[in-house]
Amino acid sequence: MARLPEGTLMQRAATGLAAVCADLLGRVYGRRVVLLVGSGDNGGDALYAGERLARRGAWVGAVTAGARTHEAGLRALLEAGGRVVDRSAIAEADLIIDGLVGIGASGALREPYAGLAEEANAARGAIVAVDVPSGVDASSGRVAGAAVRARVTVTMGAYKTGLLVDPGAAVAGEVELVDIGLGAYLPDPDVAALTANDVDDLLPRPGKESDKYRRGVLGVAAGGDVFTGAAVLAVGGALRGGAGMVRYAGRRAPADQVRAHWPEAVVTLLDEPSVEHVGRVQAWVLGPGLGVDRWAHELAASVLASNVPVLIDADGLTLVAEDRGLLRREAPVLITPHAGELARLLRADRDDIEAARLDHVRRAAAELGVTVLLKGSTTVVAEDARPVRVNTTGTSWLAAGGTGDVLSGVAGALLAQGLSCYDAASCGAFLHGLAGRLAADGAPLAAADVAAAVPAAIRAVTSAGP
Ligand SMILES: NC(=O)C1=CN([C@@H]2O[C@H](COP(=O)(O)OP(=O)(O)OC[C@H]3O[C@@H](n4cnc5c(N)ncnc54)[C@H](O)[C@@H]3O)[C@@H](O)[C@H]2O)[C@@H](O)CC1
Ligand SMILES: Nc1ncnc2c1ncn2[C@@H]1O[C@H](COP(=O)(O)OP(=O)(O)O)[C@@H](O)[C@H]1O
Ligand SMILES: [K+]
């Protein structure tokens, strides 16, 4: 790094930033660009990008927000024909470059930064954020107070976690990475995201020697007299997620429904809350729609007494929240809570979890000693000593009853096929999110549509190419 002349990184950042802005403007000459310039190097990036746009004939005005301003950057802008303007220019801009704060920010935006962010949000011009939208904590995605809502975020050197995790991700818009040559100097990340190619590489596929047993048999202990549909959806997700066979075990009402919907599933009607006589499985899904009565508790204990991996969801999570001793077992456990369920497990507040998903998913994995998939607008997967995996697929249309049951079936099927909890959870979330997008295609979906779209999602990752 010492070999680079001072300012090289900033020049590369500014070049990348100006290119994205020019693309967005279409024609640069004669367009009005307003820079929001804070007191640090984030403002410096904005000023040098402004210089480049001014040289191409744009009208560029800088609104300086801090007690000081990046001196060399400001000089360069002025020499290129730019000027310092007051904040009234924001409303008239075709494009606004947000260089208020970047990775050096701490806490909620102070004034006048917060007010400038609000004015930019209310203006008609598109906003391009430098490195991270000001107001978003780059390391976590937390937003405390005002934040810029960007059309595009141009981020320097590496994706910042806060651009992938809500609420930060929701205001980052499209994220463009500018390679400023940091590659070799970046530390090991504590957050990662799977690509379609990663999922393609991890997905088990049947070979010549495969048979239904060797591909992986998944047991599903789900559904009760009240929620029969949860069992149907979990089994549907499992069948589409590639299990060689699905064994369903449960009470009369859900068993009848599962049999009627999925002749492919092998159904065992349970007279007693025990899975001892269900036959061999390589993994279990426990909990969707199961109920929380004594019978359900005993069934959960029986499933968890097995020596195969268990995915616990929904009512299964309520049962283990009341009796955490159930989680003490040798074989792996994957839990798939939404924020409310995790709040019960951690005795924490649901809103706190929504606001700081990374902190809480890490805490849950460490405290409970299991793999945790936290569902919601950004799904995250944590396991002790591994980077948190942030899921990048999905759509808000997935916020619909029963889609979580499908996810447990899909991830359970991957567990049964031999993936670790960490990989089954993150590949399951990726495929489920992609299936959600394909099923919705801009309109409402039903949970069963998501299960039906899982094979198309698998085909899509297979054909994504390296
Ligand atoms: N570190 C690097 O290698 C590179 C950094 N670059 C840019 O430099 C940025 C980081 O620059 P800095 O470290 O100077 O920090 P920033 O420019 O992100 O912010 C620090 C400044 O903002 C003020 N500030 C902090 N929190 C605030 C708040 N809540 N409300 C109002 N003001 C607040 C501080 O007083 C300080 O002056 C990156 O985000 C990126 O844009 C790029 O130029 C490329 C290379
Ligand atoms: N706002 C959202 N944006 C994207 N995905 C969402 C959103 N809200 C929920 N989801 C996803 O939808 C599914 C809902 O699961 P869950 O909460 O268990 O519902 P249910 O119990 O009705 O199946 C999860 O996969 C979750 O990640
Ligand atoms: K910024």
Side-chain angles (χ1 to χ4, degrees), residues 9-10 13 39-42 45 68 101-110 113 130-131 180:
L9 294 179
M10 191 177 273
S39 53
D41 284 354
N42 196 249
D45 289 350
R68 34 185 206 89
V101 281
I103 55 174
S106 60
L109 287 181
R110 298 187 287 273
Y113 291 64
V130 184
D131 215 15
I180 54 172

Side-chain angles (χ1 to χ4, degrees), residues 313 338 341 375-377 379 394-405 407 432:
D313 186 30
H338 54 56
E341 286 158 347
K375 293 183 276 200
S377 60
T379 292
T395 159
S396 320
W397 293 109
L398 276 171
T403 55
D405 307 327
L407 173 64
H432 179 262

Side-chain angles (χ1 to χ4, degrees), residues 37-57:
V37 182
S39 53
D41 284 354
N42 196 249
D45 289 350
L47 288 164
Y48 280 119
E51 174 206 0
R52 285 160 173 74
L53 295 169
R55 291 203 189 286
R56 293 178 61 178

Side-chain angles (χ1 to χ4, degrees), residues 266-357:
V266 177
V267 174
T268 304
L269 183 60
L270 296 180
D271 297 322
E272 294 172 4
S274 160
V275 293
E276 217 179 314
H277 302 295
V278 169
R280 262 199 73 70
V281 300
Q282 274 78 53
W284 278 101
V285 164
L286 169 68
L290 189 65
V292 292
D293 57 5
R294 212 184 149 66
W295 197 94
H297 186 278
E298 280 178 36
L299 184 65
S302 163
V303 168
L304 287 163
S306 71
N307 59 1
V308 298
V310 177
L311 180 156
I312 313 176
D313 186 30
D315 287 342
L317 295 171
T318 307
L319 292 165
V320 298
E322 287 160 5
D323 180 2
R324 280 214 213 168
L326 287 171
L327 288 178
R328 249 175 268 126
R329 68 194 299 267
E330 291 283 314
V333 172
L334 164 62
I335 62 171
T336 59
H338 54 56
E341 286 158 347
L342 191 63
R344 264 178 275 141
L345 272 164
L346 294 181
R347 328 261 189 263
D349 185 74
R350 185 190 177 125
D351 290 341
D352 290 347
I353 292 178
E354 297 275 17
R357 306 176 67 78

Side-chain angles (χ1 to χ4, degrees), residues 242-268:
M245 193 163 98
V246 178
R247 294 188 191 277
Y248 172 78
R251 286 183 266 200
R252 165 77 63 191
D256 285 348
Q257 290 293 322
V258 169
R259 209 180 263 125
H261 275 88
W262 306 112
E264 303 88 339
V266 177
V267 174
T268 304

